[in-house]
Amino acid sequence: METIDAIDRALIVATQGGLPLVSRPYEALGETLGLPAAEVQRRMARLLERGVIRRIGAVPNHYALGYVANGMTVWDVDDAQIDALGEAVGQMPCVTHCYQRPRHLPDWPYNLFAMVHGHDRDEVLAQAELIAQRLGDAVRARDVLFSSRILKKTGLRLVG
Amino acid sequence: MTERQAPVTLSDLDRQIINALQGGFPLTDTPYADVAATLGISESALLDRLRAMLDTRVLTRFGPMFQVERMGGRFVLAAMAVPEAQFDVVNAQVNALPEVAHNYRREHAFNMWFVLATETPGGIDAAVARIEADTGLPVYPFPKLKEYFVEMKLKA
């Protein structure tokens, strides 16, 4: 694992709340950090290349966009088949995130998680049905957990 | 504390801006002017709309999105089954930790689901222990074993 240096870290701390909304944001960051704008741009390009920055852009509030129904669909599927099934479910257009996660027996039997967003609950349930069809006989148990409230959404916060 | 946000009516321009800017913001000297040009608007109009959408929380952020695992850290989903009577108190205790990147209430016996993001792998265990100590409730960590797909882009 390649780590980040102190300057990269300072750059992350300076941008984790957002990019300055000024004409020359990289120059503005450079002034704060005591770096030339070109060095800020070079480092951010490198962080993007390495995947430390996933992307740069707008993070919409999906409720505000009308995606008011957000369902975490969870499935108990055969461990021997989960990789093929997870890849297939991940390719479905309605799925924004798809992971294998551990079970916590007996309270939590599910090992495959697929996040689905819709304009209403029926749309989410219809999408869950499509996932169920794709998983077929491999499903032993299933559930959909709808979110009823965003309690916090700040993203990563390194302590300055 | 973020209440559930009601859908808002977006102008065509705001939709175009959101759809165009969910990634790929340029690293040029004047990136807003460059993006504005592709949308056929002025730089100041783009900056005004971004400020307005941040103020009204149509956008939760504008800037880089980080993958903490690529710099040696960890993201872990975790859940708790919080008794209703204690929900607000526990919510405040959990949200007080800077390691809690986001937190959702869900309709299930496990009614609180949050993501811990820490700079070091050990930070997760410390945050879990802290939450358990503060709340007196068990935390169920769900670290990802495999990531099959992640692409959180929604059409406005």
Side-chain angles (χ1 to χ4, degrees):
Chain A
M1 171 72 61
E2 196 183 348
T3 53
I4 53 168
D5 67 15
I7 297 174
D8 286 337
R9 190 178 186 285
L11 191 53
I12 292 167
V13 170
T15 55
Q16 63 192 357
L19 207 59
L21 291 168
V22 297
S23 187
R24 296 176 170 271
Y26 306 116
E27 196 176 294
L29 283 169
E31 280 167 17
T32 311
L33 298 168
L35 297 172
E39 178 67 5
V40 171
Q41 289 159 318
R42 191 190 67 76
R43 283 180 176 268
M44 288 185 75
R46 179 78 190 108
L47 292 171
L48 267 166
E49 240 173 62
R50 288 173 50 194
V52 173
I53 297 177
R54 228 188 237 285
R55 55 195 164 98
I56 304 174
V59 186
N61 177 332
H62 47 255
Y63 288 107
L65 295 191
Y67 291 90
V68 297
N70 143 4
M72 186 170 77
T73 74
V74 294
W75 311 85
D76 174 16
V77 301
D78 179 7
D79 287 322
Q81 299 181 60
I82 192 166
D83 285 342
L85 295 169
E87 297 288 347
V89 169
Q91 293 310 307
M92 295 175 68
C94 59
V95 173
T96 62
H97 304 69
C98 186
Y99 300 102
Q100 179 186 4
R101 299 189 185 278
R103 299 181 181 90
H104 285 282
L105 295 172
D107 304 315
W108 188 263
Y110 311 109
N111 56 346
L112 182 65
F113 289 55
M115 195 65 77
V116 169
H117 295 267
H119 293 83
D120 56 43
R121 290 188 177 208
D122 286 344
E123 188 181 341
V124 169
L125 291 171
Q127 287 163 343
E129 221 30 63
L130 291 176
I131 297 173
Q133 284 168 21
R134 183 65 194 78
L135 293 172
D137 294 341
V139 177
R140 292 185 290 234
R142 57 185 278 193
D143 204 347
V144 181
L145 280 68
F146 283 103
S147 81
S148 51
R149 208 171 132 198
I150 302 176
L151 303 170
K152 184 177 186 182
K153 191 173 181 186
T154 48
L156 171 70
R157 284 293 182 274
L158 301 187
V159 181
Chain B
M1 204 75 35
T2 314
E3 287 296 335
R4 180 172 177 156
Q5 168 114 359
V8 295
T9 307
L10 293 175
S11 68
D12 288 345
L13 175 60
D14 286 350
R15 282 180 198 283
Q16 276 177 35
I17 290 172
I18 293 170
N19 289 333
L21 279 186
Q22 288 191 49
F25 189 70
L27 288 166
T28 51
D29 292 342
T30 54
Y32 296 104
D34 298 341
V35 169
T38 69
L39 294 168
I41 59 174
S42 68
E43 178 189 59
S44 60
L46 176 61
L47 286 168
D48 285 349
R49 291 317 306 155
L50 287 173
R51 283 191 198 100
M53 289 193 282
L54 286 163
D55 285 348
T56 54
R57 301 217 321 269
V58 169
L59 300 181
T60 56
R61 284 184 72 239
F62 182 82
M65 276 147 272
F66 299 101
Q67 164 51 297
V68 74
E69 289 162 334
R70 295 286 169 83
M71 47 178 162
R74 288 283 183 280
F75 271 125
V76 172
L77 177 71
M80 294 171 79
V82 182
E84 273 314 312
Q86 282 171 256
F87 195 90
D88 289 346
V89 172
V90 170
N91 183 27
Q93 289 169 322
V94 169
N95 286 357
L97 269 73
E99 293 89 343
V100 176
H102 21 98
N103 186 4
Y104 284 82
R105 179 170 178 133
R106 293 190 181 277
E107 294 169 7
H108 190 272
F110 288 111
N111 54 359
M112 189 178 286
W113 290 79
F114 48 89
V115 172
L116 297 169
T118 64
E119 242 181 304
T120 59
I124 296 291
D125 290 346
V128 166
R130 168 82 193 276
I131 292 171
E132 290 188 329
D134 287 353
T135 65
L137 296 169
V139 172
Y140 293 73
F142 289 94
K144 69 181 171 210
L145 302 178
K146 282 269 177 66
E147 177 178 298
Y148 300 115
F149 184 77
V150 178
E151 182 75 272
M152 187 58 195
K153 289 184 187 172
L154 296 173
K155 194 172 181 304

